[in-house]
Amino acid sequence: MIIRSKKASDVPSSEITSEDVYVNRRKFIRNAAAGAAALAFAPQALKAFDGTPGQVVPARFKGMKSELGEDLNSYEDVTTYNNFYEFGTGKDDPAKNSAPFRPRPWTVTIEGHVNKPGEYQLEDFLAPHTIEDRVYRMRCVEAWSMVVPWRGFPLADLVRRVEPTGSAKYLEMTTIVRPAEMVGQRGRVLDWPYIEGLRLDEAMNPLALLATGVYGMDLPNQNGAPLRLITPWKYGFKGVKSIVKIRFVEEMPLNTWQVQNSREYGFFANVNPEVDHPRWTQARERRLGEFRRRETLMFNGYTDEVQSMYAGMDLRRWI
Ligand SMILES: Nc1nc2c(c(=O)[nH]1)N[C@H]1C(S)=C(S)[C@@H](COP(=O)(O)O)O[C@H]1N2
Ligand SMILES: [Mo]
């Protein structure tokens, strides 16, 4: 599952800032101007795509599969079919509306039951961690799914670094509020800010990732730049985007969708084909780019890695 691993400090800054991508971007723009962009970068998953910035995926992702042998969804799929209500409720709204958003400079506030609270700049915050690419399946509660090569570092690394005290039982993670740049926040479609939570042991699970990129490049705004959560055994809505605050708390936090509709959404949101959403079945899913439906897997296929955390819990009750 971990396909590449380097200490952040070993990565030349040209790679962190994706200099090769900028070079390719210039090339891409030239090609696009010439109307030849599609020819420059060949096959399926490696489609060249102008998400917002014109970006081209690095060649190392060509032909890559998930650990279950699945093809990766294209960069285009990952960056044009999104849920990010801060930029609108349509799947294509985040790609269309997020260009005004400025993900740098970025401060993340760490507060609550930790020995090292404070305001961390994104760069300081990332520097000590191991940046990795990880191919994960993503399953949305709306019954579509994709396979995505995220880039980021284990949430557990951050948790250890800020030293939770004995009173820290849960994490509450909050998205930025910036209505001037986020057109969806000018309305009340959700109760802003978007909030998500994890139990401390879930946050420490090696699968939980703080993503800073996708396909080896910085996260596009529509995917939650510059920093978002990925918990692949849970429904996609746990993956809170554009995180500005992580609070370590004693009580189970209320997450946005639970506040919105507690009958339909709970705190844990573990992918579970046996527990239907009140309005539709969760037994099957449609992988973006496919026609036939797939059977949804318990914990989205990550049972071995996560089931021990839920031993003795009734997963029909704890949705
Ligand atoms: N702040 C914020 N985070 C969010 C959402 C949102 O609307 N706002 N949508 C969630 C949902 S429902 C899903 S399925 C995933 C989608 O992530 P993606 O667009 O990168 O695929 O983001 C999650 N994180
Ligand atoms: Mo979702």
Side-chain angles (χ1 to χ4, degrees):
M1 179 176 324
I2 296 169
I3 54 182
R4 186 162 163 275
S5 187
K6 264 187 189 177
K7 281 216 175 358
S9 53
D10 297 342
V11 179
S13 63
S14 62
E15 195 171 331
I16 291 168
T17 56
S18 313
E19 194 179 79
D20 52 336
V21 172
Y22 291 114
V23 171
N24 282 332
R25 184 182 302 171
R26 281 198 295 276
K27 249 189 253 162
F28 177 84
I29 291 163
R30 273 206 305 278
N31 285 332
L39 298 176
F41 310 96
Q44 329 97 346
L46 295 189
K47 240 186 286 180
F49 170 67
D50 181 359
T52 312
Q55 287 184 319
V56 178
V57 305
R60 64 194 151 95
F61 293 100
K62 185 183 171 184
M64 191 177 283
K65 306 266 185 195
S66 76
E67 84 276 22
L68 287 189
E70 304 152 302
D71 290 326
L72 274 51
N73 279 97
S74 66
Y75 186 78
E76 179 172 6
D77 284 345
V78 175
T79 57
T80 60
Y81 195 88
N82 299 101
N83 270 341
F84 200 170
Y85 280 17
E86 284 83 341
F87 294 113
T89 55
K91 302 293 176 230
D92 54 350
D93 284 340
K96 284 195 307 212
N97 298 336
S98 62
F101 185 70
R102 292 282 156 260
R104 301 278 192 300
W106 194 261
T107 306
V108 181
T109 303
I110 304 288
E111 55 182 49
H113 298 292
V114 292
N115 290 328
K116 296 187 172 159
E119 306 228 313
Y120 293 75
Q121 293 310 302
L122 183 69
E123 291 71 25
D124 313 334
F125 193 69
L126 301 184
H129 304 300
T130 300
I131 305 292
E132 312 165 349
D133 292 324
R134 295 183 179 189
V135 176
Y136 278 163
R137 293 180 295 287
M138 201 275 270
R139 169 58 157 82
C140 180
V141 75
E142 295 164 82
W144 48 268
S145 65
M146 2 187 182
V147 178
V148 183
W150 298 110
R151 181 174 176 78
F153 62 92
L155 174 56
D157 289 358
L158 177 139
V159 172
R160 281 192 211 98
R161 180 172 166 205
V162 302
E163 298 177 9
T165 69
S167 306
K169 304 282 194 264
Y170 296 89
L171 278 68
E172 181 194 79
M173 311 173 86
T174 304
T175 295
I176 197 165
V177 177
R178 208 184 264 176
E181 296 175 18
M182 300 175 123
V183 67
Q185 283 183 338
R186 294 172 212 164
R188 302 275 310 164
V189 47
L190 289 178
D191 196 9
W192 316 114
Y194 193 99
I195 291 177
E196 260 306 338
L198 290 175
R199 212 170 55 191
L200 188 61
D201 62 325
E202 297 180 311
M204 297 300 289
N205 188 286
L207 285 180
L209 191 73
L210 278 176
T212 59
V214 64
Y215 267 109
M217 302 178 284
D218 287 347
L219 276 179
N221 289 343
Q222 58 267 38
N223 292 93
L227 187 75
R228 58 91 57 91
L229 175 68
I230 303 288
T231 45
W233 71 99
K234 294 176 178 287
Y235 291 115
F237 71 83
K238 296 300 284 184
V240 49
K241 294 177 168 181
S242 305
I243 297 167
V244 286
K245 187 165 70 177
I246 303 179
R247 200 153 68 95
F248 290 73
V249 296
E250 193 149 13
E251 305 294 331
M252 184 183 281
L254 279 175
N255 50 319
T256 293
W257 282 102
Q258 200 181 351
V259 169
Q260 193 75 7
N261 188 338
S262 62
R263 206 173 69 88
E264 299 191 359
Y265 308 101
F267 176 80
F268 286 96
N270 290 316
V271 173
N272 189 342
E274 290 163 19
V275 177
D276 289 337
H277 183 280
R279 289 182 280 141
W280 57 78
T281 176
Q282 294 292 36
R284 283 171 296 282
E285 67 200 57
R286 190 181 67 83
R287 179 70 43 82
L288 253 60
E290 293 182 353
F291 294 103
R292 72 184 169 85
R293 285 176 183 268
R294 291 174 176 256
E295 301 287 314
T296 289
L297 303 172
M298 187 65 200
F299 295 117
N300 203 23
Y302 298 97
T303 296
D304 291 348
E305 292 95 328
V306 303
Q307 69 176 343
S308 64
M309 297 191 291
Y310 310 105
M313 277 175 68
D314 178 357
L315 296 180
R316 297 191 156 270
R317 172 164 176 244
W318 294 104
I319 61 166

